[in-house]
Amino acid sequence: MLGIHDLPLFIASGLLLNIAPGPDSLLIMSRSASQGWRAGSAAALGIGAGTLIHVAAAALGLSALLATSATAFSVVKYIGAAYLLYIGASMLLKRGAGNDAAEMAAPAPASQRQLFLQGLMTNLLNPKVALFFLAFVPQFISPEAPNKPLAFIVLGAIFDFNGMLWCHFLAVSTALASTRLRPSARLAAWLNRAIGALFLSFGLKLALAER
């Protein structure tokens, strides 16, 4: 249908790629642990919206600009890296009021809208996501496909749907684990700093990435 082939392999590969840890997963986990599963789900929905934008851009050929223009790639790359560095630094340097270690442990509370936008920007400002769709999805579209953009969008939507299943599972499971395990305030503070350090590493990796 639509020239799509090896759909089970595409779905399995997409799930494995979504499960691989990255900035999106860390954002969901940190928000779910600090504000509950609804916060993690709000961030996940923003990530899903960003993925759909990448899919639409790639299907329309806009993402090809990132693959061919060094300037366009660099601009998006450095904006995305700066955003990841900002998130990491905010978490790493978080200080609570007075001696409340528990307050130090968690990112500043955010509204559902803010969480959605944070997830959206974390995903959208990563040019590697756009290039990933250009490299990965066409492998499952036949050269004789009657409508390649439509086939691309269908596969992208399937990838995003499966990714959302994983992201919401991650949000719920992280929130439950955080509630049941109840780590000490000191441990929670160090975990939060460790996640912040990981965001910094992702930002540096993106900034130093070659095209």
Side-chain angles (χ1 to χ4, degrees), residues 158-205:
I158 292 173
F159 179 91
D160 196 30
F161 176 78
N162 291 331
M164 285 297 92
L165 292 178
W166 166 252
C167 287
H168 288 292
F169 168 78
L170 191 62
V172 173
S173 59
T174 301
L176 288 175
S178 178
T179 300
R180 293 185 177 183
L181 294 177
R182 296 185 182 278
S184 67
R186 185 179 297 275
L187 176 60
W190 280 109
L191 286 174
N192 191 68
R193 294 189 183 104
I195 293 174
L198 285 174
F199 268 108
L200 288 176
S201 70
F202 282 124
L204 289 172
K205 184 177 179 180

Side-chain angles (χ1 to χ4, degrees), residues 43-175:
L45 289 173
I47 290 165
T51 298
L52 287 179
I53 293 174
H54 278 299
V55 169
L60 294 173
L62 297 180
S63 293
L65 178 65
L66 293 176
T68 58
S69 170
T71 301
F73 181 88
S74 296
V75 169
V76 176
K77 179 182 73 171
Y78 288 125
I79 293 175
Y83 187 71
L84 291 176
L85 290 171
Y86 167 75
I87 294 175
S90 298
M91 297 177 71
L92 192 63
L93 302 176
K94 172 69 177 176
R95 290 292 184 274
N99 297 318
D100 190 347
E103 186 178 346
M104 292 171 58
S111 67
Q112 298 290 306
R113 180 176 180 274
Q114 289 172 323
L115 292 166
F116 177 89
L117 290 175
Q118 192 172 43
L120 175 67
M121 299 305 292
T122 299
N123 184 273
L124 200 57
L125 291 177
N126 188 347
K128 286 190 170 184
V129 177
L131 298 182
F132 159 77
F133 281 111
L134 281 178
F136 178 68
V137 176
Q139 298 180 46
F140 298 90
I141 301 176
S142 171
E144 295 80 27
N147 192 329
K148 292 183 178 65
L150 180 58
F152 196 106
I153 290 173
V154 169
L155 286 174
I158 292 173
F159 179 91
D160 196 30
F161 176 78
N162 291 331
M164 285 297 92
L165 292 178
W166 166 252
C167 287
H168 288 292
F169 168 78
L170 191 62
V172 173
S173 59
T174 301

Side-chain angles (χ1 to χ4, degrees), residues 18-30 47 166-167 170 199:
N18 277 302
I19 291 173
D24 292 347
S25 298
L26 287 176
L27 177 63
I28 293 169
M29 292 174 67
S30 64
I47 290 165
W166 166 252
C167 287
L170 191 62
F199 268 108

